[in-house]
Amino acid sequence: MTAKVRHVLVVIDPTATSAPALERAAWLAKGLGARLELFVCDYDPNVADSRIFDTDAASQARDHLLDTERRTLESLAKPLTASGLDVALDVRWDYPLYEGIVRKAADSRADIVVKDTHYHSVLKRSIFSNTDWSLIRHCPAELWLVKPHPIGTPPRIVAAVDPLHERDKPAELDHRILRAAIGLRDAVGGELDVFHAFDIAPLLAASSDSMTMPIALPVRELTDALQKEHREAVLELTDAHGIGHDRVHVHQGGTRQLLVSFTEQLHADIVVMGAVSRSGLQRLFLGSTAEDVLDKLGCDLVIVKPAGAPAA
């Protein structure tokens, strides 16, 4: 990963019937020799409602709920401890969920947060502040969002980079993405490919808008020149990390669509990519590739932030 990972924090959903994130986190912690912490963040608005419970009754109800969830974590931890893992447990009463996770990650100095993810409806994408998107935006630690699918042998890992920074991110972030992907590859015995896409459509549109008369543009020559420029930039980046040229894939077209189709063709298990926290207006106009592909990818997504990224 981006640095020596010593603490893996996995978010457990006490209402779920399966826990793919726990399986993935235990697999990662074992490969890295890291400590594993199981964490439940819960909150019941009915318990917190003073119209239903008085202060003492609310406190008792909350403590009972958290004790029950702690016992659940203890049962989950037993086989992990027996397998030789160093396992810790924590249960907290906090709200909203993403802020509780961010606070816990900061307090425990977690190196990576692992959490289940699932499909989010258009309504939730459009109106509500979804936990997974909020974590992509605000979690300062690396974030691993786990899909309910088995990991291949060997695991196929894809690092998505943007060395010419067309999507307005710091140059150092690409190096952090590759260090994270290489660390993951080495920890789990995986295979790593590097993906980059560039799109000439905005350039053609801008050129067309600036012309007073229609002029035939040498589209093939322009595409070839951009392909060469982008490939050279990616190879310079990957050469610095000792990644072979046969593992580098540069494509022309929209990043979001091509990344999804590329990972499907490769049967990728994990995508590692960057995300930059932005203000509300910036998110509205620039969007986020990570947020957009989360539901479209059939594999896990690992999010890497720039150095010193602030928490929510």
Side-chain angles (χ1 to χ4, degrees):
M1 316 302 281
T2 52
K4 175 62 177 176
V5 174
R6 304 182 187 279
H7 187 177
V8 178
L9 179 67
V10 55
V11 180
I12 304 295
D13 180 356
T15 66
T17 56
S18 63
L22 179 57
E23 296 176 12
R24 206 79 84 235
W27 175 65
L28 177 64
K30 186 167 290 187
L32 294 168
R35 186 185 195 212
L36 176 64
E37 184 168 13
L38 281 56
F39 174 59
V40 167
C41 180
D42 204 354
Y43 180 84
D44 187 334
N46 292 322
V47 172
D49 191 341
S50 60
R51 295 170 299 178
I52 301 176
F53 292 97
D54 61 31
T55 302
D56 290 340
S59 179
Q60 291 175 11
R62 182 188 64 194
D63 290 346
H64 175 73
L65 179 61
L66 296 182
D67 285 344
T68 300
E69 290 169 349
R70 178 171 289 278
R71 288 194 294 272
T72 299
L73 291 187
E74 289 171 350
S75 67
L76 291 173
K78 281 182 180 179
L80 301 173
T81 302
S83 71
L85 283 172
D86 178 11
V87 182
L89 312 173
D90 191 20
V91 178
R92 292 190 180 187
W93 186 263
D94 207 344
Y95 179 84
L97 176 58
Y98 89 89
E99 288 190 10
I101 295 170
V102 169
R103 278 189 278 269
K104 171 61 184 178
D107 292 345
S108 64
R109 298 185 180 180
D111 298 300
I112 184 166
V113 175
V114 184
K115 180 186 174 298
D116 292 333
T117 189
H118 52 82
Y119 178 77
H120 309 97
S121 70
V122 173
L123 181 63
K124 287 185 177 179
R125 285 202 296 267
S126 303
I127 299 175
F128 300 110
S129 176
N130 179 272
T131 296
D132 295 340
W133 283 299
S134 296
L135 287 173
I136 288 173
R137 297 166 190 169
H138 300 298
C139 184
E142 289 176 11
L143 175 66
W144 189 328
L145 295 170
V146 176
K147 299 289 183 72
H149 72 98
I151 292 288
T153 305
R156 299 299 300 269
I157 303 164
V158 173
V161 299
D162 183 23
L164 296 180
H165 322 303
E166 294 184 322
R167 279 164 284 281
D168 187 32
K169 62 184 182 61
E172 174 60 19
L173 183 53
D174 280 321
H175 292 284
R176 291 175 66 84
I177 291 168
L178 289 184
R179 285 194 293 269
I182 291 168
L184 179 58
R185 177 199 66 188
D186 295 345
V188 301
E191 296 181 358
L192 173 62
D193 290 86
V194 178
F195 169 87
H196 171 65
F198 67 96
D199 194 356
I200 68 168
L203 180 61
L204 293 177
S207 300
S208 176
D209 290 343
S210 66
M211 295 176 183
T212 55
M213 296 181 62
I215 299 175
L217 291 176
V219 176
R220 172 56 60 185
E221 289 85 345
L222 177 61
T223 302
D224 290 345
L226 286 173
Q227 175 84 22
K228 182 174 184 294
E229 178 187 12
H230 281 259
R231 182 167 179 81
E232 287 176 351
V234 176
L235 291 179
E236 181 180 357
L237 172 68
T238 53
D239 284 349
H241 294 270
I243 297 171
H245 291 192
D246 61 319
R247 292 289 186 175
V248 176
H249 311 269
V250 178
H251 298 276
Q252 187 266 314
T255 298
R256 292 164 168 82
Q257 297 81 9
L258 287 178
L259 177 59
V260 173
S261 61
F262 177 75
T263 55
E264 289 174 349
Q265 293 166 12
L266 195 66
H267 300 292
D269 298 293
I270 305 161
V271 169
V272 183
M273 66 188 305
V276 179
S277 295
R278 295 188 171 107
S279 68
L281 282 177
Q282 286 176 318
R283 287 201 304 272
L284 178 63
F285 289 106
L286 297 177
S288 166
T289 301
E291 293 171 29
D292 191 59
V293 301
L294 175 59
D295 283 331
K296 299 178 177 66
L297 288 172
C299 60
D300 293 3
L301 180 62
V302 175
I303 302 296
V304 179
K305 289 296 192 68

